[in-house]
Amino acid sequence: MQETASTPAAGSGLELLDPALVRVMQETGASMGAVYLLPSGETVLRMALLAGIPPQIVAPWVLVPLSAPIPVADAVGERRVVWVAGREEMARRYPRPALVVPYQFAVAAAPITTGDTDRGSLLLLWPGSHAPQLSRQERDAIDVFCRRTGLLLQRAAGSGRPVLAGAEPRVLPPCRSHTPRPGEALAAVDFAERLPEGCCALDLEGRISFITTAAAQLVGADIPDLLGALPSEALPWLDDPVFEECYRSAVVSRRPMSFTARRPPDRWLSFQLHSNASGTSVRITPAPTASAENTPEPQYTASPTTPSRARELYHLLHLAATLTEAVGVQDVVDRVPRQIMPAFGIQALAVMTAEEGRLRIIGHLGYTTELMDRFDATPLTSSTPAVRVLATGIPAFFATFADLRRAYPPATLQDNMAAWAFLPLTASGRTVGSMVLAYDRPHPFAAEERAILTSIAGLVAQALERARLYDAQYQLAHSLQAALLPHALPLVPGLDLAARYLPTTHGVDIGGDFYDLIRLDETNAAATIGDVQGHNVNAAALMGQVRTAVHATAGASPGEVLARTNRLLTDLDPGLFTSCLYIHLDLAHHRARLATAGHPPPLLRHPDGHAEVLDVPPGLVLGIDPTADYTTTEIPLPPGAVLALYTDGLVETPGVDIEDAIGRLADHLARVPGRTAESLADNLVHHATQCAPRNDDIALLVINVLRAGG
């Protein structure tokens, strides 16, 4: 899509943020820093600035959905500084990034906001030697950066020239404490050349920026062939995951690392790596024979034009870890493009599946919606690469448009791309779809790259197969549960009513939470809410039986309703227990009578605005003792009063006393400005879900007793 004159090009204005990022890194002693921006109306953070670490190491995190379980997303979602003190804590709280980057380091992420607007996030990383907590000076520096950067972004957006992230992050040059004069630089080279061992320097991208004659002789290559090249490109025998892992560990942890490698045919060399913000110094010496004999011989088949096997495996590992967290089909198609496109230099991607004789596009990135609409619903009888790949299960690679045209003469260039890979999505021996990867320049696909891309397609296909099964089970489970809950609340003169039901969405289990409101006559109604133990079909079935039993006895005193329902459940002996609250509403006399069977107490907001947690004598949960009694309590319920009935999912948070949580909910009910039951219900749910993540279903019933005249 072309930029218009009124829309600044992506990446414009980023230089305004450079000094602030440099300053906060200096003031905190951070070894690496990144700034993420959140474009208005979007839900994906984009890495805009990067300093102190090679871009290829952070490529999997250039695009971060706000829902992703990693620190920068949590910092924005929770609007707080997220601090992770080391590798062990990272593995416990954020297992996916800990799996892919298993090094010793500490990390802090902080939200960049102005008022109610989320604008991005700051990410800082320190070596593993950092103290267990951020110091006051570090926190102050982070706070100042976020506040000032937020205001800068706000002013830029208000002036019509918003600061936007580019397609790739802007990488800041390293800050040097000393810039040598020409004479000093020559003296440093002479010093290095006089050393009996070899040494070389790698820049921030890991490319060889300097190497001594002795080092070039040790690795068996000429200096001009080495300068500017990645070691794994210039020296195929170094294209091994073990050596790449050592390099990454040195860069991230800032600890000295070493490894031993065999230069063919039989020369063993020792490499010692020392990294800082400007790059990596490598000392190269002949390895002792005893040490070399214990080092496994690496296998290599790479050539200077083949992508680094170690780096591709790194991205494959990250993709596999990402897909293990994907749930439904939409989750998979959202994660895949953002994960592999930055890592593999892909400009556009589309994922397609076969449905009812047509090829349907279920996800894309880099292509316009208009173009995708043109290709969507292509008949499976058409002669196109995507359909052919789906039919045969054989991938197709086209390095240029001429190659594509030779294979498919009717083809016309519609996406302005220059090279394509069409990959079958095959899982369990069945091809379920295809995926197209597009490049904006001619792209020769080496044999090893073809294998890597085909492996990626296999991972995506397996994830899609799991996701489709999940979606089907989820839909079935929650359709059943929805059928057991009221489709709508009855109209009761004098009452304004609202109900909410929110499943946890973790897994496809069916919950047992329920609510109901029963109109008894013109001036009387009954309200009930409850929670059946467990999350399965049995819990849902029992929930339906409890609702039926309450309906059958509604109109009796609340204690009698619960007692009869309890006897029914104990006779059924379902092996599950149920909490339940029942309230009889007498609108003519402005009274309410209620009884509880082990259910959280209701909240009452009085007409003057103050709210309280009602003290209801507790009763035994239903289904345990057939002789249990339930005490009925009567309270005044004047016009203007509000009752809030809820299940424990609304208030239960790990590590928080439930009575304290209920008290805070009552305080919030007293403060919320909403006057209608609908607005009050929305406000209570929002408050609960923002305070902490929920681990259980939520049911809520709000009863607003209307004043005379509405």
Side-chain angles (χ1 to χ4, degrees), residues 164-467:
L164 303 174
E168 297 179 354
R170 172 184 171 89
V171 181
L172 301 187
C175 295
R176 303 181 184 277
S177 57
H178 172 64
T179 301
R181 295 187 295 273
E184 290 180 289
L186 289 173
V189 171
D190 291 339
F191 167 80
E193 286 286 355
R194 287 192 292 268
L195 296 175
E197 65 246 8
C199 61
C200 73
L202 308 180
D203 63 18
L204 269 180
E205 293 187 355
R207 298 183 179 277
I208 300 172
S209 57
F210 168 77
I211 187 167
T212 64
T213 304
Q217 291 173 346
L218 284 170
V219 300
D222 295 330
I223 291 179
D225 295 333
L226 295 171
L227 290 177
L230 295 169
S232 58
E233 293 175 345
L235 307 169
W237 46 276
L238 283 181
D239 187 18
D240 185 274
V242 173
F243 310 150
E244 183 72 14
E245 186 76 3
C246 183
Y247 167 72
R248 292 180 187 279
S249 182
V251 169
V252 175
S253 68
R254 299 290 166 89
R255 293 183 174 184
M257 302 296 296
S258 63
F259 64 87
T260 303
R262 190 187 70 129
R263 169 196 151 191
D266 55 5
R267 184 74 184 272
W268 289 93
L269 300 174
S270 175
F271 296 79
Q272 298 177 340
L273 284 68
H274 303 265
S275 295
N276 69 7
S278 64
T280 301
S281 297
V282 184
R283 181 170 174 256
I284 308 172
T285 58
T289 304
S291 171
E293 289 176 350
N294 294 326
T295 302
E297 179 178 339
Q299 301 295 318
Y300 64 93
T301 56
S303 68
T305 59
T306 302
S308 168
R309 174 177 50 183
R311 293 187 181 184
E312 305 299 346
L313 290 176
Y314 168 75
H315 292 303
L316 266 181
L317 175 63
H318 193 279
L319 175 63
T322 299
L323 291 178
T324 60
E325 296 175 347
V327 183
V329 169
Q330 193 57 49
D331 201 12
V332 172
V333 298
D334 284 346
R335 290 172 184 258
V336 167
R338 294 171 180 141
Q339 176 63 52
I340 69 174
M341 288 175 63
F344 293 89
I346 299 162
Q347 275 67 52
L349 177 151
V351 180
M352 296 155 279
T353 60
E355 296 178 11
E356 300 178 347
R358 294 182 179 273
L359 197 63
R360 305 307 303 243
I361 297 172
I362 61 173
H364 63 89
L365 190 64
Y367 284 126
T368 64
T369 301
E370 292 77 12
L371 181 64
M372 291 295 95
D373 288 343
R374 202 180 308 161
F375 284 99
D376 192 29
T378 300
L380 296 183
T381 55
S382 62
S383 178
T384 64
V387 170
R388 181 68 176 168
V389 162
L390 188 148
T392 64
I394 301 173
F397 300 91
F398 303 101
T400 64
F401 179 66
D403 293 341
L404 178 62
R405 190 73 178 269
R406 277 192 292 271
Y408 297 89
T412 58
L413 185 61
Q414 300 185 59
D415 62 0
N416 295 320
M417 294 295 168
W420 301 264
F422 292 88
L423 306 168
L425 300 178
T426 304
S428 303
R430 184 170 63 93
T431 302
V432 298
S434 57
M435 181 168 66
V436 58
L437 314 177
Y439 304 77
D440 59 0
R441 298 179 183 178
H443 189 91
F445 295 94
E448 188 160 342
E449 185 178 10
R450 294 182 182 214
I452 289 288
L453 295 178
T454 303
S455 298
I456 288 174
L459 290 174
V460 173
Q462 292 172 13
L464 278 176
E465 188 176 48
R466 293 192 303 269

Side-chain angles (χ1 to χ4, degrees), residues 8-9 11-24 35 37 48-49 112 145 148-165 170 172:
S12 65
L14 288 178
E15 66 279 357
L16 299 175
L17 307 182
D18 292 358
L21 180 59
V22 171
R23 186 182 306 113
V24 73
V35 176
L37 297 181
L49 283 184
I112 301 172
F145 171 90
R148 291 179 176 174
T149 301
L151 292 173
L152 187 153
L153 295 173
Q154 182 183 43
R155 286 195 297 268
S159 66
R161 300 185 59 83
V163 178
L164 303 174
R170 172 184 171 89
L172 301 187

